[in-house]
Each structure stands twice: as C-alpha cells, then as structure tokens.
Amino acid sequence: MPRKPLPVFLERSSYRKRRVMDALKLLALFGFILWMIPTLWPDGSDPDAAPVSMSHALFYVFGVWFVLIVLSAAFVSRQSGPKEKAGESDAGP
Amino acid sequence: MTSLNVLIAVCLAYVALLFFIAFVAERAGVQGKGGWLLRSPLVYTLSLSIYCTAWTFYGAVGNAARSGLEYVTIYLGPSLVILGWWWILRRLVRIGRSHKVTSIADLISSRFGKSNALAIVVTLMAVVTVTPYIALQLQSVTLSLSIFSAAEQGATPDTIDNDAAAFWIACGLALFTVLFGTRNLNVNERHHGVVIAVAAEAIVKLVALLAVGIFVVWGIAGGLPETLARIDASDLGTWQTSGSRWATLTFLAATAFLCLPRMFQVMVVENADEKHLRIASWAFPLYLMLMSLFVVPIAVIGLEEMPAGSNPDLFVLSLPLSQGREGLAMFSFIGGFSSATSMVIVATLALSTMVSNHVVMPVFLHLRQGGASQSGDVREVVILSRRMSILAIIGFGYIYYQVSGGSGALASIGLISFAGVAQFLPSMLGGIFWRGATRLGALWGLGVGFMLWVFTMLLPSFGAGAVLSAEVFEHGLLGLGMLRPQAMFGIEGMDPIVHAVFWSLLINTLTFAAVSLATFPSPLERLQGAQFVNVFDHSAQTQGWNASVAESEDLMIMAQRILGAQEARSLFSDQARAQGLSGHLPEPTPDFLQLLERELSGSVGAATAHAMISQIVGGSAVSVQDLMAVADESAQMLEYSSQLEAKSKELSQTAAKLQAANTKLMQLSAQKDAFLSQISHELRTPMTSIRAFSEILRDTEGMRPMEKAKYANIIHSEAIRLTRLLDDLLDLSVLENGQVTLNHQTGNLGELLDQAIASAQAGASNPIPIHRRRLNERLLLETDLDRLCQVFINLITNAQKYCAAEDPELHIDVTEKDGAVWVDFIDNGAGIPAEAREMMFEKFSRIGAQDSNGAGLGLAICREIMARLGGDVSYLADAQGTGFRVVLSHSRAVAAQ
C-alpha cells in the first residue's frame, strides 16, 4: 500500500517527538559503549596497573544502569505523549 | 530448626496458591473480565522476568563469589536489547503479530518459505539446548532442598534422596504445565493462567532476593558504607574480569534473550500490545538491576561468614539459615523455587508447542492419509501430542540431570545453553533484516553453527575423557591440529567460552551469508522475505476479517472438529447472544471471525487456523501457497490450450493445403479429359480435311490444276499443323523428362528480343505495336539463347493473338534487380481471370474459348524451359493488363560493358 507522503516540515511538537525518538534509538548504543568501558580496565594480569576497586566498579556499572533506566523512562513518557498520531512513529523526518 | 516437612508443606501451599491464582486468571480470561490486569504492561514486564531463572537466583551469587562482577553481564545484555527495543524487538513483535507466529521455529520457518524442514531443525536444536537448562532448574531446587535437610540433620547433607526429590519436582512441574499450558489449547490467545502465575512468581523472587540482600547489607554487615568497605577488603575487592569475557558474555546474554524459546514465547507470542514494549523498555532493566543489586554483597559476606568449602551457589539460603533467620531462608527458598518453576513451565510450554506443531502433528497428519481435510475431532490429538511433548521434555530434563549427576557449577550449564540458542541469531536477524537470506543459507548456517557448538562447547563440558577423549583435546579430531575443541584452527589461549561463542557464531554467520548469496530462493521465500523485512510497510496492525459471505454453519462445523462440539456450540451461542440474535448462529462479523480464529489457533497452529477460516470465508485472504498452486495450474492450462490452438491451426492449414491440392487435382483431371477430347479433336480436324481433300484428289477426274494445287496446299498446311502439334508435344515431353541438352551461348538481350519479335511477327497480318526501352536491354546473357528466344516468341505471339484491346500494344520492360534480370511483357488486354491463373501454366490449358488453334502447350513449354535455364516465368497479377515476367537469374546475366 502506498504510504501518504510525509510533510517535509513538521510542527514543533511532532518535531520534538521525532527527536526524542532518535534519542531513544541512540540510548542502547550509548549504554553499550558505556558498559564496554570496563573492558579497558586492568584485569589484574598486569601487576603494575593500579586495580579498579570493586566498589567503584559497582558504582559505575549500576550508575550507568540507573541513568539508562531514567533516561529511557523519560524519553518513553515524552514520546508517547497525549497527542500521539498513528503511523507517526514509523518513519524518520 | 525448620523441619523439612514444614518446608515441603510451605512449598505445597505456595504451589496451591499458584494454582489458585492461575485458575482465577484463567476463569477471568474466559469470562472476559480483568482484562486491564491481564493486558497491562506491568504483567508483560513481569512475565519477561522468566529470564531470571534459578540460575540467576542462586547461581549469580555463586558466580560473583568465583569471578567477581562478571555475573552482571548476564543482565547487561538483555538490558541493552530491551533498551534498544526500537531496533529489533519492535520488528520481531510486529512480525510475530501480523504473521501469527507461535514460536521461534515458526518464525524462522515461515520467513524461509514455511519450510517444515527448517522448523524441525530449529525445534530439535531448541530441545537439545534447553534440556540441560531444565535439568539445571531441577538441580538447583534439589540442591536448595538439601541445604535445609543438612541443617536439619546436622552434618550429612545427603540424607534426603536427591533423585527422589528431583523426580517429584519434575512431576509437579509437569502437572502444572499440563494443567495450565494445555487447558484451552490456545497458544496465540495467551495463557492467562500461566502468565499471571509467572508474573506473581516474578514478584516473589524479586522480593525474596531483595529481602535477603537487605538483611545481608543492613542486618549482617551493618550498613552500606561498611558493606562497601568489606567488599573492597575481600578477595573480590578489585576488578578481575577479562575484557574478552566481559564483552562476549554481554553479547551472549543479549543474543539468548532474543533467541531463547521461552523468551520468544513471553516477549512475542504472549505480547498483547506493541505499546507494552515502551513500558518494558525501562521497567525490565529496572527489574534486572534490582535482581542483581545485592549479589556482590551477598557473595562477599557469604564468603566471609560461611565456613570454607560451602557452596557459594547456595549462599542466598545458607546465609540467613546460618544466622538463624529461618523465615527469611524459607522465603528465599520460595523465591528460588519460583524462579525454577516459572522457567520450567514457560520453557516447556514453548518447546512443547514447537514439538507438537512442527514435529508431532505433521507426522500424525502425514500418517493419517487425507490430513486435516478429513472430518473428525483433531482436538484430542493436538492436546495429547502437546501433553506428551511436555512430559517428554521434562522427562529429558530429568534424565539429563540424572546422567550429569547433578554436578558442575550452575553457571556453566546456563552459558552452554545460551550459546546453543545463540545459533538461531544469524538466521533470525538475517531473516527479518535481509531479503536476500535464503532457506538453504539458514539451514546450513544453523547446521554448521550447531555442530560447532556441540564440538567446542557441549561435548567438552562433560570433561576430557567423557565423550571426547583427552587425545582429541590434545591433538584435535582425527588427529587434525586444526580441530581441537578448545583451540580451533590452532589459535590457542582463548577463554573456552569466548572461543566457542566466537567460532560457532562467526562460522554460522559466514555460512548463512555465503550460502544465501549463492542460492536462489523459491517464490514463496521471496514473498515471505519481502513481507518480513518490510513488515512496517505491509502491516497496519493485525489484519481484520472482512467476511460477509462466510457461512456461519460451515464455521460451526469446522469449529466443532477442533474445539469440540460442546465448546464450539457454547462459543457460537454466546456470540449470537452478544450480537443480540435469538438463534444459535452468530453473524460472521469481522470481530467474531477474529475471535474464532484465535480460538482455533491454539489447536492447529495460528497459520493453519488462519488458512482454515480463510477457506470458508473465501476471497478475502488466500494463502500464498494456494495462490501459487492456482497460478501453477492456470499456467499449465494456458500452455496446454496454446498448444492445442497451435495444433488446430496447423491442422486447419494442412486441411486448407489438402483442399487446394484436391482442387488442383480435380482441375487437372478435368483438364486431362478436356485435353483428350481436345487432342482427338485437334488431330481429327486436320486428319479429316487431309483425308477428305486427298480423297477428292484421288477420286475426282478432270480437275483443273488450280484446284489441285489448292487442295494439295490445304493438305500440306494441315500436315504442317499436325506436325507442329506433335513437335510441341514431343518438345514438352523432352523438357519435362529433363532430357533436353542446353546449348549455352553468349548474346545481347536486346538482339535476342529483336530476333524474337521478328520471328513472332513474321507473316502476321496485323502485327502488334511493341514499346521497348533499348537502353535497359544492353545486357549480355550467357544462356541457351535459342530456348530463351522460344519463350520470348511464345509470349509475344500470345499477346499478339489474345490481346482483346481495340488498339493492342505490348510493352517490354527490362529491369535489373538484386542481380536478377526481369523481362516483363505487358499488353493492354483484359488480364487473366483469377481462377484461370492457377492453371494457365499447365499443359493443354486454354483460357476461355478464345483459343481456337493453339494446343494449350505454349506456356507450359515456356515454364519448363525457364525452369531448365534456372529462371522463372510468372503471371504479373498487378500489371495493367495481361503481363508476364521472365526472370533470369544472375549467373545467366552478365553486364554488357
């Protein structure tokens, strides 16, 4: 079925929703990068490297987790706001 | 001391509570009540928590005690997947809903042209990979029971019969799954009972783990700062996880979250609304974070508080127990029990659906010739096959548990299982994102990946010498150094899990891509591929039925076969009442059809139910396979009919030719008769006059010399005429028999024409005027000039004799074209009637009655001569008058320079 051509420019609220959607899409990538940072930490095989203490590691991993959850919840609530139009979420700008 | 009996009683009470919750939810679902709860995103999110099994509940602490923060990767992967739901999950769920997918095997098989072989392969792989996982759950529950019995009995932990405990747990789980999983035979129409029970268990296990964690941090360690200080001071105080393991395990967990049959079941099949994903996208990571929050503190405090040598997998239980907190320990036990049971129930349900739909039912329908079209109640068979599948799968789990001896760290079994199901990933993602993926590619990729997984992970997990000999570990399979199970291609030093995951998935993906690139998909595969990859273009949401022509009675008959007579009747009359009708049959509204389809889908699979309804409803949705069959048939018929048409054309052409030949034969026969009478007439006329005049000469006396001479002249000229006639006949017969000898000479065409005209007009009383273009006649010919001249003479004479115009004239035009020379003789006569043209070159043919003294041999002789000379003479139908064309082929015509 041919889809209706989307307007080139959107009104401000729709535009904002699109960008929130983009942020949502990027969130997983962001989380992936942050959570892969521990692969760069010394793993104890090199005695000269100063080890990362477990409490720091815990704070880091869970801190990232918490931030991701909060951001995701915020984005989702912004994105699925009261005036959501059908089909709008399927395409980019 | 908590007695084992109390524990078992509490357990049974908990199970009874679960049964009750499931039963109430089931009733509410049937009555259409409580929809807000059953279809809430909260329940959806909680049901996703079957990802957290007993392995998570007990094993995470054990894993943390052994290797620090590594356990958390098992949760990071799924968190990333669901945070990035937009990329993959949204697509999977949309495909699952619009194609009514019932399992991951169903998804892969329908993407690749509804291939049953592929479905069977995926099903078998799933059974092989998930069975150890089920065994793991049995083991963890048994182990946790043994902790309590050890506490009760003192030092001997083996007093409780582990095998018997495992057996009874397996039986209980099988009973629950059979009761609530196959109650209404509805896979697509969610298992309300099971889902609600799983959601309840999700809460129980989370709260239990949090309770233990809070007790450990604030009850034993004395607060958060103190706990952190003890963590940093312990053996686990520093980061020790290798980067490759960290990354690989995160990836593996993310993959397993997508590919595990039970996750697919709750995430895709039981999904009631795509919007639930939005809530789950942050709520489920939150759940996972809470589940893993207290794992490290429990592990560290457990290592400190518990005597050396105690199993860290059971710290969650033994730690409260050692502090005399029996209530908490029992709660914790219930939490672990919940994790194990919910996982086993859903995993078994998912697997049994696959086994029953893709293995048992096809075999059954194949054995019972006639298949589903035969009348009769297949419901019993489906229920039976699903129940047998459930029993078999739990049975396999139990046997695996028995054989493996309940040993080994929990986590390693879990990871093996994860890596096994991860082999589905290339085919699944390739299938939904890449239109070029083919069935053979998927089959090969899955096969190769699975073999590698078995070789590098499953078999080595039994230890050297168990299945694979130490010899194989050291020197490779068949003595090939390339094929060492933990150092493929001679690359050593990789962590065994990283090694196995890396090689199996890499080669799986490469094989899948390479074979897909090299093979060509069937039309159905291409169509399905396009529909899957472009699912957002094709599907609005699920498509509705538009059925005004559906026969309610037919639907009723079909529904009875599948749902059972009683249930079908009550369903139909309920619906009729809801529509405000008095009879038993409701109107086939789209809503009703959708409901019916969902009801049916549980017993025969969603796709079959859809096809069955579409057959009765007609028109609105025919399966692609049907369309293809129809297209095939009509293509064949079209080809056949075009063949027939060609044949009949050929036949009619042949008939026309025969007709023409027959007509010609008839004409020839008439001609021959005419000739015979003609020739006898021709011969007799001169003979009669010769006889008469010779008799006069003989018998009359005293004739004057004048008269004598006159009579003798008559006799002479008649004799000449006879001779000429006979000469012509002889000439023709010689030409026809090919006995003529040609006398080739070179001469000028113009001179030849001069000669012919002179001969033809010699002695003529009134010679026909002839127009020529001498310039064109300057051509040298090399041919039998005498014979050619004879033809020319004949044609000129004919024109002279027969031209009926008032002022007759003859044009002789010479044209050189394409290397041939055309000599046209065109007079201004009336032309030759069409019906006579056919015959005029035949012997003895005469046109009309005008020819009084010719024998009708001239043109026949001309044609024979020209045939001998390698040219042709023909009638010019488009000339203005009577026209003949003599064609001299090139080899006979030489330019006269």
Side-chain angles (χ1 to χ4, degrees):
Chain A
M1 266 184 288
R3 214 191 273 177
K4 266 193 203 165
L6 290 161
V8 180
F9 297 108
L10 302 167
E11 56 178 304
R12 196 178 180 82
S13 62
S14 308
Y15 179 86
R16 196 40 55 210
K17 265 183 202 166
R18 291 277 166 78
R19 300 294 81 77
V20 171
M21 205 61 240
D22 292 346
L24 251 177
K25 291 186 208 170
L26 288 174
L27 198 61
L29 188 68
F30 176 64
F32 173 76
I33 292 168
L34 288 181
W35 270 334
M36 282 305 117
I37 283 178
T39 60
L40 307 172
W41 294 347
D43 59 0
S45 53
D46 181 4
D48 297 336
V52 177
S53 77
M54 182 56 95
S55 56
H56 281 110
L58 278 174
F59 273 120
Y60 178 75
V61 170
F62 283 91
V64 169
W65 217 328
F66 185 71
V67 169
L68 288 177
I69 290 165
V70 169
L71 285 180
S72 174
F75 290 159
V76 164
S77 67
R78 287 282 303 272
Q79 201 268 332
S80 52
K83 277 195 287 180
E84 191 192 1
K85 287 177 197 160
E88 190 186 58
S89 56
D90 277 356
Chain B
M1 276 285 129
T2 309
S3 89
L4 205 56
N5 291 334
V6 173
L7 188 71
I8 289 168
V10 169
C11 244
L12 287 178
Y14 175 69
V15 170
L17 181 71
L18 279 186
F19 269 76
F20 178 72
I21 292 173
F23 179 71
V24 168
E26 200 76 34
R27 283 285 296 273
V30 170
Q31 291 166 358
K33 289 183 206 156
W36 61 272
L37 182 65
L38 296 173
R39 287 186 210 98
S40 78
L42 181 71
V43 169
Y44 180 69
T45 307
L46 287 175
S47 70
L48 290 184
S49 76
I50 53 145
Y51 178 75
C52 306
T53 63
W55 171 33
T56 303
F57 196 83
Y58 299 121
V61 174
N63 194 341
R66 279 184 278 269
S67 34
L69 209 50
E70 188 183 289
Y71 79 93
V72 88
T73 55
I74 300 301
Y75 304 100
L76 296 187
S79 295
L80 284 175
V81 170
I82 200 145
L83 280 169
W85 57 280
W86 185 271
W87 300 107
I88 299 174
L89 282 183
R90 191 177 69 111
R91 187 174 276 263
L92 267 184
V93 168
R94 177 67 68 87
I95 290 172
R97 291 172 62 81
S98 60
H99 290 263
K100 308 227 170 6
V101 168
T102 58
S103 63
I104 188 168
D106 200 16
L107 176 89
I108 292 179
S109 94
S110 40
R111 160 61 181 86
F112 296 105
K114 310 198 170 167
S115 147
N116 211 35
L118 207 46
I120 290 172
V121 167
V122 174
T123 303
L124 293 182
M125 282 173 66
V127 170
V128 172
T129 49
V130 176
T131 306
Y133 213 161
I134 291 174
L136 171 65
Q137 309 302 315
L138 293 178
Q139 179 188 343
S140 65
V141 176
T142 318
L143 267 179
S144 61
L145 266 178
S146 71
I147 282 284
F148 281 90
S149 72
E152 184 187 26
Q153 307 281 337
T156 51
D158 285 327
T159 45
I160 174 169
D161 186 349
N162 277 354
D163 291 349
F167 179 75
W168 286 114
I169 292 164
C171 287
L173 290 173
L175 180 71
F176 187 92
T177 315
V178 166
L179 270 185
F180 290 98
T182 61
R183 222 174 115 81
N184 52 5
L185 262 195
N186 263 331
V187 171
N188 238 23
E189 168 66 14
R190 289 158 275 291
H191 304 80
H192 293 309
V194 172
V195 168
I196 289 291
V198 165
E201 291 194 299
I203 297 172
V204 170
K205 63 192 177 195
L206 178 64
V207 173
L209 200 58
L210 286 178
V212 175
I214 289 167
F215 167 71
V216 167
V217 172
W218 282 276
I220 302 180
L224 196 58
E226 290 81 0
T227 314
L228 287 175
R230 284 174 79 166
I231 288 173
D232 280 343
S234 72
D235 291 345
L236 301 175
T238 55
W239 176 263
Q240 290 161 347
T241 310
S242 87
S244 67
R245 268 182 81 89
W246 180 267
T248 304
L249 292 183
T250 306
F251 171 73
L252 190 58
T255 308
F257 186 69
L258 284 171
C259 297
L260 277 169
R262 68 170 194 276
M263 290 317 299
F264 193 88
Q265 174 82 27
V266 290
M267 207 152 52
V268 178
V269 180
E270 309 267 0
N271 178 290
D273 191 339
E274 271 178 46
K275 291 200 182 73
H276 291 177
L277 275 178
R278 294 165 188 264
I279 306 296
S281 75
W282 59 266
F284 187 61
L286 181 65
Y287 185 94
L288 291 178
M289 189 182 83
L290 293 177
M291 280 300 274
S292 49
L293 198 54
F294 291 109
V295 169
V296 172
I298 295 172
V300 169
I301 306 296
L303 284 174
E304 286 183 15
E305 300 283 328
M306 297 300 290
S310 31
N311 186 352
D313 281 335
L314 296 173
F315 279 168
V316 184
L317 288 176
S318 50
L319 208 52
L321 214 51
S322 69
Q323 303 289 320
R325 298 298 184 112
E326 279 152 24
L328 184 62
M330 190 172 297
F331 188 31
S332 163
F333 171 79
I334 294 292
F337 186 71
S338 294
S339 319
T341 50
S342 55
M343 179 270 164
V344 173
I345 288 164
V346 180
T348 311
L349 205 58
L351 281 184
S352 73
T353 307
M354 282 157 74
V355 171
S356 149
N357 279 1
H358 301 306
V359 181
V360 180
M361 284 312 285
V363 169
F364 171 79
L365 290 176
H366 182 73
L367 288 181
R368 216 182 63 165
Q369 287 299 320
S373 59
Q374 218 169 10
S375 68
D377 194 345
V378 292
R379 189 178 63 133
E380 285 304 318
V381 182
V382 178
I383 292 187
L384 191 68
S385 91
R386 202 153 293 178
R387 288 184 176 159
M388 297 313 280
S389 309
I390 289 173
L391 292 181
I393 289 159
I394 295 189
F396 281 145
Y398 177 71
I399 291 167
Y400 186 93
Y401 165 75
Q402 283 287 342
V403 171
S404 69
S407 67
L410 294 179
S412 66
I413 302 183
L415 286 179
I416 291 169
S417 189
F418 274 22
V421 292
Q423 305 305 325
F424 299 146
L425 187 78
S427 302
M428 190 168 85
L429 289 192
I432 64 174
F433 284 106
W434 182 33
R435 282 177 65 172
T438 67
R439 188 179 67 91
L440 281 175
L443 266 177
W444 276 94
L446 284 171
V448 169
F450 188 69
M451 300 301 280
L452 275 169
W453 170 74
V454 169
F455 182 64
T456 58
M457 210 164 186
L458 185 65
L459 297 184
S461 77
F462 297 113
V467 181
L468 294 177
S469 63
E471 175 76 4
V472 173
F473 274 91
E474 196 60 36
H475 302 294
L477 194 66
L478 308 171
L480 294 170
M482 296 271 282
L483 297 178
R484 282 154 68 190
Q486 296 188 333
M488 290 291 283
F489 308 109
I491 297 173
E492 295 183 37
M494 280 165 95
D495 178 88
I497 288 174
V498 176
H499 172 268
V501 171
F502 177 74
W503 284 118
S504 62
L505 274 180
L506 179 74
I507 296 179
N508 179 341
T509 311
L510 287 182
T511 311
F512 169 64
V515 177
S516 289
L517 290 174
T519 52
F520 195 81
S522 71
L524 188 59
E525 265 179 88
R526 296 174 75 181
L527 200 117
Q528 289 289 100
Q531 285 198 339
F532 273 52
V533 174
N534 303 330
V535 65
F536 293 110
D537 297 342
H538 294 306
S539 66
Q541 277 275 339
T542 39
Q543 89 193 63
W545 286 110
N546 178 18
S548 48
V549 287
E551 304 284 335
S552 294
E553 211 169 307
D554 289 345
L555 289 172
M556 177 77 175
I557 292 166
M558 179 189 66
Q560 277 183 345
R561 283 179 45 208
I562 294 158
L563 301 173
Q566 194 64 44
E567 286 183 36
R569 223 171 293 147
S570 75
L571 174 75
F572 273 63
S573 52
D574 280 354
Q575 286 299 311
R577 228 175 299 127
Q579 290 178 0
L581 300 172
S582 55
H584 291 294
L585 293 176
E587 286 293 315
T589 59
D591 285 345
F592 170 65
L593 289 173
Q594 201 135 25
L595 179 100
L596 184 64
E597 187 192 327
R598 265 189 259 141
E599 291 288 331
L600 297 179
S601 64
S603 59
V604 276
T608 317
H610 194 72
M612 285 172 120
I613 292 209
S614 68
Q615 268 180 6
I616 292 177
V617 170
S620 60
V622 187
S623 80
V624 182
Q625 259 159 335
D626 292 347
L627 283 178
M628 307 256 306
V630 172
D632 270 359
E633 257 168 45
S634 48
Q636 277 172 7
M637 276 161 65
L638 213 64
E639 196 182 332
Y640 185 62
S641 80
S642 75
Q643 274 175 3
L644 274 184
E645 205 173 309
K647 268 186 191 153
S648 83
K649 211 172 181 178
E650 214 172 291
L651 277 177
S652 63
Q653 277 171 352
T654 315
K657 275 185 204 158
L658 278 175
Q659 185 97 38
N662 191 37
T663 316
K664 201 168 171 186
L665 278 175
M666 299 279 281
Q667 282 171 338
L668 282 175
S669 162
Q671 224 175 53
K672 193 191 72 194
D673 292 346
F675 166 69
L676 281 177
S677 67
Q678 180 70 33
I679 198 86
S680 46
H681 176 75
E682 290 290 330
L683 288 175
R684 213 181 63 191
T685 315
M687 288 305 268
T688 312
S689 51
I690 289 171
R691 203 180 79 190
F693 284 107
S694 60
E695 275 172 3
I696 292 171
L697 282 179
R698 189 189 66 192
D699 299 340
T700 316
E701 294 194 6
M703 280 180 97
R704 280 176 299 179
M706 272 279 282
E707 276 176 329
K708 261 189 196 169
K710 185 184 167 194
Y711 293 150
N713 264 340
I714 292 173
I715 291 171
H716 180 248
S717 70
E718 290 297 319
I720 285 173
R721 206 171 126 191
L722 259 178
T723 316
R724 203 173 61 218
L725 184 65
L726 292 174
D727 275 349
D728 278 357
L729 275 173
L730 193 65
D731 201 12
L732 190 63
S733 117
V734 165
L735 282 167
E736 277 185 340
N737 293 333
Q739 293 163 340
V740 69
T741 43
L742 297 175
N743 179 19
H744 282 280
Q745 300 152 284
T746 309
N748 189 295
L749 178 60
E751 287 168 12
L752 195 63
L753 281 170
D754 289 344
Q755 190 187 334
I757 291 166
S759 304
Q761 293 184 339
S765 53
N766 193 9
I768 186 168
I770 295 175
H771 305 276
R772 296 162 62 185
R773 285 166 175 261
R774 289 190 176 274
L775 211 62
N776 294 348
E777 294 167 1
R778 290 170 58 195
L779 290 168
L780 266 190
L781 298 178
E782 197 206 330
T783 184
D784 188 331
L785 294 178
D786 292 340
R787 286 291 185 181
L788 189 58
C789 189
Q790 192 183 347
V791 172
F792 289 165
I793 292 169
N794 201 297
L795 291 173
I796 296 166
T797 317
N798 274 354
Q800 194 157 266
K801 266 195 225 164
Y802 303 124
C803 184
E806 243 174 76
D807 297 312
E809 51 184 31
L810 176 67
H811 289 265
I812 301 176
D813 294 328
V814 178
T815 325
E816 204 180 351
K817 190 164 186 183
D818 296 338
V821 178
W822 295 349
V823 187
D824 294 346
F825 296 82
I826 303 171
D827 65 21
N828 55 350
I832 293 173
E835 65 272 12
R837 287 175 200 162
E838 189 92 338
M839 300 303 302
M840 68 191 191
F841 286 102
E842 301 296 338
K843 281 172 281 183
F844 311 115
S845 86
R846 277 187 260 200
I847 294 150
Q850 52 172 313
D851 190 355
S852 49
N853 50 9
L857 293 173
L859 282 175
I861 291 171
C862 285
R863 194 164 72 166
E864 287 298 331
I865 290 171
M866 288 317 296
R868 296 286 160 249
L869 294 183
D872 190 24
V873 56
S874 58
Y875 179 71
L876 276 177
D878 50 353
Q880 300 275 343
T882 315
F884 287 92
R885 169 170 292 169
V886 177
V887 180
L888 299 164
S889 70
H890 180 62
S891 63
R892 305 298 175 210
V894 184
Q897 267 87 30

